[in-house]
Amino acid sequence: ILQSDTYLHTASETLRPIITNIERVRAGQKSGPAGLTDFSRVLILVQSGANKALAVADNALKTNPTDKRLRYAKALCLMSLEKEEEAVKLFRELSNEDFAPAIYKLANELYLSEDEKEMKEAIALYERYTLLEPHDSRAFNGLAGAYYEANEPAKAEAAYRKVIELNPADSSGHLNLIHFLILQDRI
């Protein structure tokens, strides 16, 4: 079970420490505490104390500096601590490695920018994310808004319609399309 926002494999992250502990005992090693993985700990701590979460992430990255999920969790910690420049830098690095959650998060951050260059980059990132995660309607919704801001109404409409196709039960997708059509004088 994959949570796409954080790339948390919920069942695996819960069971893996327990299984590892059982394997150690069977191999004749001493049993250790069967707690959470470092990644899970960071995700839990970021909600209550981003400084503690950042410390756990940094410590875990010392042993595994190339772990994409830990680096992503660290970037989330940095965002919580309002260290946006550092977080965006880390999101960019991860985006270059085609790490889907980082691509989506970076696209969302750049979409909020007033800079036209960053808006174009956000569109490219949303498009890239939709190729990696074609069933995530949120990205198509962001892409539709970015297309609208970039004055590309045909592409915006197609993206709004894709949101409805992917998630027909979500009324916000329908409302966004209706709002878009009204603004386009296409009642």
Side-chain angles (χ1 to χ4, degrees), residues 58-118:
D58 283 336
N59 192 35
L61 283 167
K62 287 178 185 173
T63 58
N64 196 356
T66 60
D67 188 313
K68 293 177 186 177
R69 296 177 331 134
L70 282 171
R71 290 169 38 221
Y72 180 73
K74 178 179 178 175
L76 293 176
C77 294
L78 291 169
M79 288 298 287
S80 292
L81 293 170
E82 297 181 5
K83 297 180 178 181
E84 292 179 17
E85 282 186 31
E86 292 177 57
V88 167
K89 180 182 176 199
L90 202 45
F91 288 139
R92 282 187 192 283
E93 289 174 12
L94 289 164
S95 293
N96 291 336
E97 298 172 24
D98 281 338
F99 189 64
I103 293 170
Y104 180 70
K105 188 72 171 174
L106 181 58
N108 284 338
E109 290 300 315
L110 296 177
Y111 175 69
L112 298 174
S113 174
E114 300 287 325
D115 185 18
E116 187 177 326
K117 180 182 175 190
E118 288 187 350

Side-chain angles (χ1 to χ4, degrees), residues 4-181:
S4 61
D5 280 348
T6 58
Y7 217 70
L8 174 69
H9 293 84
T10 52
S12 174
E13 289 290 326
T14 303
L15 297 175
R16 176 55 40 205
I18 297 167
I19 293 169
T20 302
N21 208 14
I22 291 169
E23 289 171 344
R24 282 185 188 148
V25 171
R26 286 183 179 167
Q29 298 174 357
K30 185 178 177 183
S31 172
L36 299 171
T37 64
D38 290 330
F39 180 67
S40 296
R41 286 180 44 220
V42 172
L43 291 180
I44 290 169
L45 285 172
V46 77
Q47 302 300 317
S48 60
N51 283 323
K52 288 181 184 178
L54 184 59
V56 171
D58 283 336
N59 192 35
L61 283 167
K62 287 178 185 173
T63 58
N64 196 356
T66 60
D67 188 313
K68 293 177 186 177
R69 296 177 331 134
L70 282 171
R71 290 169 38 221
Y72 180 73
K74 178 179 178 175
L76 293 176
C77 294
L78 291 169
M79 288 298 287
S80 292
L81 293 170
E82 297 181 5
K83 297 180 178 181
E84 292 179 17
E85 282 186 31
E86 292 177 57
V88 167
K89 180 182 176 199
L90 202 45
F91 288 139
R92 282 187 192 283
E93 289 174 12
L94 289 164
S95 293
N96 291 336
E97 298 172 24
D98 281 338
F99 189 64
I103 293 170
Y104 180 70
K105 188 72 171 174
L106 181 58
N108 284 338
E109 290 300 315
L110 296 177
Y111 175 69
L112 298 174
S113 174
E114 300 287 325
D115 185 18
E116 187 177 326
K117 180 182 175 190
E118 288 187 350
M119 179 60 80
K120 287 181 181 179
E121 186 179 357
I123 290 172
L125 288 166
Y126 278 130
E127 289 171 343
R128 221 167 104 210
Y129 180 81
T130 60
L131 293 174
L132 294 170
E133 296 287 341
H135 301 290
D136 190 347
S137 63
R138 300 169 310 148
F140 286 100
N141 194 46
L143 185 58
Y147 280 143
Y148 178 75
E149 294 291 326
N151 201 21
E152 295 187 49
K155 289 182 177 181
E157 182 177 348
Y160 282 126
R161 291 189 184 280
K162 185 69 174 181
V163 171
I164 294 169
E165 176 188 325
L166 291 172
N167 197 359
D170 184 8
S171 62
S172 65
H174 295 277
L175 292 172
N176 288 340
L177 177 62
I178 291 167
H179 184 254
F180 168 77
L181 292 172

